[in-house]
Amino acid sequence: MPFPIGRSDAGRRAYEESHIQGAVYTDLEKELSGEVEEHGGRHPLPDIFVMTVTFGRAGISNDSIVVAYDDQGGAMASRLWWLLKYLGHEQVYLLDKGFSAWTKQGLPVSSERGEAQPATFIATVQHNMLVEMDEVKELLGSEGTTLIDSREAPRYRGEVEPIDRER
């Protein structure tokens, strides 16, 4: 589920108000991100062991089918998708067009909290899905290398910066 930049409690509140029946909420900042340090951005990768425990608590085993969704164009759901893929999960998907499309179609929603059946998730880290900063520096300007900045256009252009201070 979503939360607008700078309002991290909004996602949980939106989930408590309405979500797809049986859905379990995961918090980007508290569960899908590690501690902010010198490097790693605002949402660094969490510790692998911590992620496996978090996913297990959410009812995700290695054999589970996981459908991730949010209401922010897929930004949060994509992070969950990537984290699961990075840890070797095979059956993880994104809900096409997200929660808004679900509700616009009149599909059922609930305000009842989803209760996950705890499961065991064992990580098989896909190291090839991660690149270190030094490797990126070496690749900059190299033929065949494309670097993509996925921030919203006004932030990319430097027109607005709602939460990150200038360095």
Side-chain angles (χ1 to χ4, degrees):
M1 291 295 293
F3 74 79
I5 288 179
R7 294 183 42 219
S8 62
D9 62 330
R12 173 151 312 272
R13 285 198 323 265
Y15 168 83
E16 290 170 352
E17 184 179 305
S18 179
H19 54 269
I20 298 173
Q21 187 172 0
V24 176
Y25 179 76
T26 55
D27 188 293
L28 170 68
E29 293 186 351
K30 295 176 184 164
E31 298 173 301
L32 303 180
S33 298
E35 294 294 318
V36 175
E37 297 175 2
E38 181 183 358
H39 297 292
R42 187 179 336 100
H43 299 113
L45 287 178
D47 176 81
I48 291 169
F49 176 74
V50 171
M51 280 192 290
T52 62
V53 170
T54 296
F55 294 149
R57 265 197 327 261
I60 300 171
S61 73
N62 295 75
D63 297 322
S64 299
I65 296 172
V66 178
V67 178
Y69 70 91
D70 64 32
D71 206 10
Q72 288 193 294
M76 308 308 162
S78 296
R79 179 168 178 100
L80 177 61
W81 176 90
W82 188 89
L83 287 170
L84 283 164
K85 287 291 193 178
Y86 174 64
L87 296 181
H89 197 286
E90 298 285 329
Q91 298 185 89
V92 57
Y93 306 93
L94 296 174
L95 178 63
D96 188 26
K97 300 180 184 138
F99 187 65
S100 291
W102 180 274
T103 58
K104 283 180 186 170
Q105 295 238 345
L107 296 169
V109 295
S110 175
S111 60
E112 292 180 27
R113 184 177 171 189
E115 293 296 327
Q117 183 77 322
T120 300
F121 180 79
I122 299 170
T124 306
V125 179
Q126 307 299 303
H127 296 285
N128 63 324
M129 291 182 67
L130 194 64
V131 64
E132 299 294 330
M133 284 189 285
D134 289 337
E135 293 173 87
V136 173
K137 282 194 243 179
E138 285 181 31
L139 292 169
L140 287 176
S142 299
E143 188 174 329
T145 298
T146 303
L147 187 62
I148 298 174
D149 186 321
S150 63
R151 294 175 291 175
E152 292 178 329
R155 292 184 77 197
Y156 171 78
R157 293 189 300 263
E159 298 166 1
V160 297
E161 186 44 68
I163 58 174
D164 289 329
R165 61 178 164 70
E166 279 192 44
R167 296 180 193 232

